[in-house]
Every structure is written in structure tokens, then in C-alpha cells.
Amino acid sequence: MGRQVQKMTQVSLIELSHLTKDYGSFRAINNLTLKIDGGITGLLGPNGAGKSTLIKVLLGLVRCTSGTGRVLGHDILAECDEIRTRVGYMPEDDCYMHGLSGVECVQVAAQLSRFPATEALRRSHEILDFCGTGQERYRNVETYSTGMRQKLRFAMAIVHDPELLILDEPTSGLDPEERESMLNRIQVLSRQMNKAIIICTHILPDVQVVCDRVVILVAGQVILCEDLEILRRSPDPSFTVTVQGNAQLLTEFLRKRGAKTESISDYSVRVYGLEEEVSPMVWQAAADTSTPVRSLVPSRTSLEEIFLKAVQETSHANS
Amino acid sequence: MPIHSLGYREWSGQLTTARSQWTVIASIGIRRAWQSMWLRRIVFFAWVPGVMMAVLIYLFEQAASEGQASAFMTGGIVQLFLGRTEREAIRDTFAVNASAIPDLVKYRHAFWCSLLQVLYQRSQAIMLIPVVGITAPPLISQDVRSRAFLLYFSRPISRTQYIFGKAATVACYVLAISLLPGILLYCTGVLLSPDISIVLATWDIPIRILGVTVTMVIPTTCLGLMLSSLTTETRFASFAWFAVWIFGFFAYLVTSSFVNSGARTPLEMLSLFHVIADVQGWLLDVRPNTEIDIVAPLTVLSMVTLVSLTILYKRVSASMSA
């Protein structure tokens, strides 16, 4: 852990400068400049935004057309092997190594990352235990369900103890219970083991649960790179009041007192204003109307709203 | 969770060298290929001709110790095993007949080379076709199908290491039916000979064996892997592999029945089997027809290797960026 903390503090996780990648006449990444530090980062974007291409460029699987970049301090063009030694990648595709059992797949992944054979086998069992894979590890991977293969790919990505983990759709194809377990594992790796993690996904609730930061990519360009906590703060300060029973009486009372309100549901209302103004007013209204207040919390913008707003703004600007 | 589960732990051991990853890919391939019952049968069966040749060497040495080497050579049992090509080569070189007293050292050298030529051309080159036909087609086609490239190349491994690992899988089995029987046959000959000084007279034979096996291994392995990389269906790659040999063989038969010149025609060059046999004969110094230009077969084998490798690299690279 010490090694990782030391390196994380010295260099940025990812630094990209004016990166462009063309596939013939199609520009997948367009003059992208980005800096990402540790923690869990959600990489979001509509289909065709360039997320997968960006990941492949980071791993050195495809060469960028122009621009420069460094991953964990290593140049993405000249030091691909060093990057791949220190990075774990879980692909989105349903890929597997044909004809091998689950534990053999993980062992091979470790050996390809230059682990000695015996140590690779020991480590594989340890990681499969961590991933909650039982005796099915001895079965051929062709017999695995989608969810089991997903866990197997996750195990293969982390078996060599990488400092940076790139997970492409880690929870797709998982049932709710497995999805929660997977998110827990990701959080354990980040919070307890100090791994830097990039999650590339379309499942926004997952990002909302685990990510510290969000990068939104549209048409090969970064349109948003911000801490999730900052993003979720509403531009106009407001509070959501949830009551027991009907909130109509409370809402009317607040309006008469000059408060700006917005009804959210039968039992909740949003009240705009600063905390020192809103809080006494709400408690007074609750007392006067005999309405039991269940909660009074600052309003937050959902990630879905943020994502849609960012994408739509870019679309309008481009058109 | 199992009772021994300790959760995630960091790892701080010593890594192996950066150039050893191809051995991992090769060992997977070798293990998986060995699961084929047909491959096991062919590999075991491929050693039978070598054993028969060893018996011939034993009989030859027995005859030589009794001064009957020439008689042995013209005897029925040897004539049965040696083909017209080998018989002519020995006769032309040494003008041997039953009453002549040959230079036994040179005679032995020619006889051993002739036996090796028979071994490689008549049996091992034929065994080579199913051995590569079983091992090579699944190696890359299954990786394309199961999209395993991303799993491989997200590790510190290069295309060259990947291809080398796959090639080593095929080469391992081809060497098992070519190099090993040849070398063991040579060792058998040395052990059965009157004294160990025979090694000095035949030191070049192991090198010739190595050359012959390289001729068998490299072009066929590259061709087999290239065909495997072109499809996601293993059966299509297998079909293409056998079709190349069968089509070439028929092209040779048809052309050679119409054209009876000493030199090979371009159509005859389509037969990899005969092209390899020409080079083997040249390497073992047992050539059926001295008019045959060895440059043409060598060029064909080099072209097959280079074109196959180029396509193979392009296919693997395309899969990486797909």
C-alpha cells in the first residue's frame, strides 16, 4: 500500500494532452485533454462517445493519431508494457479463454502479468475467494453464466494487484445481489486498498453509489470533469421537506409566508432558499399546521439530470 | 465465504522475466491440444516408422560386421523399405553392386541419410499434415471467437510473444514427430555401430536432421496459424488446411503426368508436400533428380512463411484494435 500511496502523491493517475484518435475519416477522440487523480472515477458518455477507444489508447492497444499522455507516470506510446503491468483491465465484451477452467483463466492472467506459476495459482484462489466464486472455479468457462464470467473477468483484472483498475461495465449482466456485491468489492479496493479505479458504465445509479468524480465524454471530447459531490449541489440552494401524510397544507402555509416552493409528491415539497431562512420557516409552518416533518435535507441534483443536461447542451452547441 | 478466505491482499513478490510470457501461452496450447485423442494416437503412431528404421540399422550393422553390407543393401528387405529415389542415390554415388567392397564409413553415411529421407518423406511428412491440422486451427480462431485478445493484450505481452507462444504449441508436436525420432534414430545407429568413432564420420547428420525438421516446422506452423487467424470457426480453418495439401497434391499429380521435364513446373510447386520433400532431399543429400533447382522450392517455402506471418500479424493487430 505504501508503494501506491507514494506513487499516487507524486504523479497524476492519468494525464492526457490534446489527444486525438482517428479511424480513417472518423474521429473517435477529438483533441482531448484530461487529468484524473486517485479515487473512483466514473467515465460516462453516450454510445460512440469514445470511451472504449480512450481505454484502449490508455492501455496502448491502439496508438493515438496525435497528442501525448501518461498513465501512472508512464508514456502511453513508449511504455505500454509498464502501464499494462500496473493497470488491471476488465473488458466489457463477454470474452474468455477457451477450454480453461475458471481458476486456470485467472492463473494464466497472473502468469501473463509475470507471476511465477505456483504463486499465480495461489493468488488465483485467493482472488476467486474474494470475488465470491466457489467450487464453480473448477468448471470450464464455457459453461459459465454471464454473471459468472463477469466475476471471472473482474478476478483476472485484479489478480496481479494493479494500482489502477479500469472496469468497463462491471455490473452489466449481474443480478441485483451480485451487483451490490460487485460495487462493495470496488469500494473495498478503493477505500481500503487505496486502488485508483475508473468505471466506464451506462448504469448511472452505480456511479452515484461508488464514484468520487465523474468524467463525461461526448463526441470524443470531455465536456465535464468534476467531483460528484460538487456536481450534485443544486445551483439554486433548496431543501426537500418530507412529511407524514399530505404536504399540501404545509406548502400553502409556506407560500403565504412568501417562500418559493415546488411540489415534488403528495408528501414532499422543495423549498428554495438559504438554510438560515428556510429551516426556521419550515419548522414554524410544521408547528402551525400540525404537520409531522420526517426529514428536511438539502436538495441534490441526480446524476441522470446532470448527464442529460451536459449531453443535451453539447448537442445543441454542435448543431 | 470459505473459511480460508482472507479478502483482498496486496502482492509484493518477485516477478519473472519479461520475455517468458510466450511459454505460458505455449503451455496452455500444448495441454489443450493433448486432450485430443486423435492427436495422441497420431503422435504415438508417428514413432512406429522410426522403430522400423532402427531395426534396419541394426540389421545393416549386423551385416556389416560380417562383411555383407553390399549384399544387405541389395537384399529384398532394404529394397522394400528404400524407394527408387534412395536406391538410385546410393547406386549413383557409390556404384555399389553385390560383389563390390564398399567404403563402409561413406556407405553407412549414405545409408543412414537414405533411411532418414524415407522416414521424413514417406511417413513423417504425411503425419505432419494431421498433426498440424489438429493443433493449429483452434489456436487463434478460438481466441477470435471468444474475444480473448483483450484478455491477452491488456497484459504486458506483445504480438510477437503471443504469436510465438501459439507457434511453439504447433512446433512442439511437429518436433515430437520429426526431430525426436530422427535424433533417436541417429543415436540408435551410433550405439549399434562398431565403435564410437562413427560420430566423427557422421557428425553432419544431426545438423541435417535439424535442417529437415526446421523445413517441416516453420512454413507449416505459419501457414496453419495464418489459416486459424482468418476465421472464428475452427472447422473452416481445418478444412482450409487439408484443402491446401490435397489441392497441391492433385496439382502435382496432374501436372507431373503431362509434363515430364526434370525441373519443377510452377503448378507442381503448389504441392507443399513435394516442395518440402525436395528441400529435405537436398538437405540430406539424397536427391531423386539433380536437375531440380533447389532455389525454387526454398523460395516457395520462404514465401509461404513470410506471407503467412504478415497476414497473421495483421489479423492479430486488427483484433487488438477492434
Side-chain angles (χ1 to χ4, degrees):
Chain A
M1 191 187 288
R3 177 186 63 162
Q4 287 161 5
V5 171
Q6 192 186 357
K7 281 178 179 165
M8 294 296 170
T9 52
Q10 282 172 357
V11 292
S12 278
L13 195 68
I14 293 171
E15 274 183 296
L16 304 174
S17 175
H18 304 291
L19 202 76
T20 298
K21 173 63 191 173
D22 293 333
Y23 288 111
S25 60
F26 175 70
R27 179 153 288 185
I29 297 176
N30 187 8
N31 198 29
L32 184 146
T33 298
L34 177 66
K35 188 175 175 183
I36 298 176
D37 289 318
I40 307 179
T41 304
L43 183 59
L44 309 177
N47 290 331
K51 303 184 296 290
S52 297
T53 303
L54 178 61
I55 290 173
K56 285 176 180 170
V57 169
L58 294 178
L59 289 168
L61 295 176
V62 293
R63 292 181 79 83
C64 57
T65 311
S66 64
T68 57
R70 299 187 86 79
V71 176
L72 297 166
H74 297 290
D75 189 285
I76 56 169
L77 293 174
E79 298 171 300
C80 297
D81 276 3
E82 286 82 357
I83 291 172
R84 291 182 210 155
T85 306
R86 294 173 63 187
V87 174
Y89 172 52
M90 175 184 175
E92 176 193 4
D93 295 337
D94 183 22
C95 46
Y96 55 93
M97 290 177 178
H98 192 90
L100 300 181
S101 67
V103 68
E104 282 174 329
C105 280
V106 184
Q107 186 190 6
V108 167
Q111 284 184 271
L112 290 175
S113 294
R114 295 165 47 202
F115 273 51
T118 314
E119 184 57 24
L121 183 60
R122 190 199 63 76
R123 175 83 180 164
S124 304
H125 282 292
E126 195 175 296
I127 290 299
L128 286 168
D129 286 343
F130 173 69
C131 293
T133 304
Q135 294 303 303
E136 62 267 28
R137 71 184 65 177
Y138 299 108
R139 270 171 39 198
N140 198 303
V141 285
E142 279 97 88
T143 66
Y144 278 23
S145 65
T146 309
M148 285 159 75
R149 281 190 196 158
Q150 191 83 336
K151 281 200 288 183
L152 188 69
R153 284 198 296 279
F154 182 72
M156 291 167 81
I158 62 173
V159 69
H160 59 296
D161 191 25
E163 293 159 56
L164 167 62
L165 201 53
I166 300 175
L167 308 173
D168 203 349
E169 299 286 358
T171 53
S172 67
L174 296 179
D175 61 43
E177 192 185 346
E178 278 300 336
R179 176 175 158 263
E180 199 178 324
S181 301
M182 178 67 85
L183 293 176
N184 282 339
R185 280 180 211 116
I186 291 169
Q187 283 181 315
V188 164
L189 288 172
S190 174
R191 315 287 182 234
Q192 294 178 20
M193 311 312 294
N194 203 30
K195 306 286 179 204
I197 299 173
I198 294 176
I199 298 177
C200 183
T201 183
H202 287 109
I203 306 173
L204 299 180
D206 288 356
V207 177
Q208 209 153 309
V209 169
V210 297
C211 289
D212 305 317
R213 177 181 318 102
V214 169
V215 174
I216 298 180
L217 214 63
V218 176
Q221 287 180 311
V222 174
I223 57 165
L224 191 78
C225 177
E226 193 62 83
D227 281 359
L228 196 57
E229 189 56 39
I230 295 170
L231 279 176
R232 290 185 64 199
R233 282 183 203 148
S234 178
D236 298 325
S238 62
F239 291 81
T240 303
V241 184
T242 308
V243 300
Q244 192 173 349
N246 200 312
Q248 196 178 356
L249 199 60
L250 182 83
T251 309
E252 283 172 7
F253 189 90
L254 287 169
R255 275 184 190 152
K256 281 178 188 167
R257 292 287 177 92
K260 187 184 171 190
T261 61
E262 181 190 349
S263 182
I264 301 171
S265 66
D266 286 348
Y267 50 86
S268 62
V269 61
R270 182 173 291 152
V271 186
Y272 290 90
L274 297 171
E275 187 178 6
E276 53 268 28
E277 297 167 2
V278 170
S279 186
M281 197 189 294
V282 168
W283 292 121
Q284 186 61 50
D288 291 352
T289 59
S290 303
T291 308
V293 175
R294 298 184 73 177
S295 67
L296 172 65
V297 292
S299 297
R300 301 219 176 257
T301 313
S302 76
L303 188 56
E304 197 170 337
E305 287 170 327
I306 297 165
F307 178 75
L308 287 174
K309 191 180 167 195
V311 172
Q312 280 165 1
E313 278 175 4
T314 311
S315 302
H316 288 312
N318 288 342
S319 61
Chain B
M1 292 283 272
I3 197 163
H4 55 274
S5 176
L6 299 167
Y8 187 89
R9 288 193 300 173
E10 288 180 339
W11 190 82
S12 56
Q14 188 71 35
L15 297 175
T16 58
T17 58
R19 292 186 180 85
S20 63
Q21 286 105 317
W22 69 268
T23 58
V24 179
I25 294 173
S27 66
I28 302 167
I30 290 166
R31 265 188 292 147
R32 278 180 48 203
W34 193 241
Q35 289 168 357
S36 163
M37 192 174 62
W38 278 106
L39 182 69
R40 290 200 298 267
R41 283 176 180 166
I42 292 168
V43 169
F44 283 124
F45 186 68
W47 282 70
V48 174
V51 174
M52 290 163 67
M53 299 298 161
V55 172
L56 274 183
I57 287 182
Y58 171 74
L59 294 175
F60 171 81
E61 292 301 336
Q62 285 288 100
S65 65
E66 293 166 10
Q68 300 290 319
S70 299
F72 174 76
M73 281 305 297
T74 51
I77 188 164
V78 172
Q79 297 300 311
L80 185 70
F81 278 97
L82 291 190
R84 181 177 58 85
T85 308
E86 294 78 25
R87 287 200 303 269
E88 283 175 2
I90 291 176
R91 190 188 60 220
D92 293 347
T93 310
F94 300 102
V96 171
N97 57 53
S99 59
I101 300 170
D103 176 352
L104 195 59
V105 174
K106 287 184 179 176
Y107 200 63
R108 179 183 285 117
H109 188 283
F111 180 60
W112 286 10
C113 283
S114 298
L115 282 186
L116 286 167
Q117 168 74 348
V118 173
L119 175 73
Y120 283 118
Q121 196 184 339
R122 303 281 156 76
S123 64
Q124 307 314 92
I126 294 170
M127 300 288 185
L128 166 88
I129 300 170
V131 165
V132 180
I134 291 170
T135 52
L139 284 176
I140 297 181
S141 63
Q142 285 181 345
D143 282 349
V144 178
R145 190 176 188 175
S146 62
R147 285 170 278 190
F149 284 110
L150 279 175
L151 299 175
Y152 283 110
F153 294 117
S154 59
R155 310 273 153 190
I157 182 169
S158 65
R159 281 177 303 171
T160 308
Q161 283 181 317
Y162 173 82
I163 291 171
F164 198 69
K166 295 290 181 185
T169 303
V170 184
C172 169
Y173 288 107
V174 178
L175 290 175
I177 64 159
S178 58
L179 184 66
L180 286 185
I183 291 291
L184 280 176
L185 189 59
Y186 173 76
C187 293
T188 307
V190 170
L191 290 172
L192 292 175
S193 59
D195 63 274
I196 204 75
S197 65
I198 201 72
V199 175
L200 293 174
T202 57
W203 62 269
D204 60 316
I205 291 182
I207 298 169
R208 289 175 191 272
I209 291 171
L210 194 64
V212 167
T213 52
V214 165
T215 309
M216 289 171 78
V217 169
I218 294 178
T220 54
T221 300
C222 292
L223 180 65
L225 290 181
M226 183 271 281
L227 294 172
S228 177
S229 71
L230 292 176
T231 176
T232 57
E233 292 285 344
T234 301
R235 60 204 163 119
F236 293 158
S238 299
F239 177 80
W241 168 259
F242 287 108
V244 164
W245 292 87
I246 293 167
F247 172 76
F249 203 83
F250 276 108
Y252 176 85
L253 285 182
V254 171
T255 314
S256 60
S257 63
F258 288 110
V259 183
N260 199 17
S261 69
R264 293 261 190 257
T265 61
L267 265 178
E268 285 176 319
M269 286 291 176
L270 288 175
S271 173
L272 269 182
F273 183 83
H274 293 92
V275 170
I276 289 173
D278 285 348
V279 179
Q280 286 176 342
W282 174 67
L283 285 166
L284 290 168
D285 203 18
V286 184
R287 283 204 278 172
N289 192 338
T290 49
E291 287 176 35
I292 289 177
D293 180 14
I294 198 62
V295 176
L298 281 175
T299 308
V300 168
L301 291 185
S302 305
M303 288 301 292
V304 167
T305 306
L306 284 175
V307 170
S308 300
L309 274 179
T310 307
I311 294 172
L312 191 54
Y313 263 88
K314 282 190 180 297
R315 292 291 298 168
V316 172
S317 305
S319 302
M320 275 172 73
S321 55

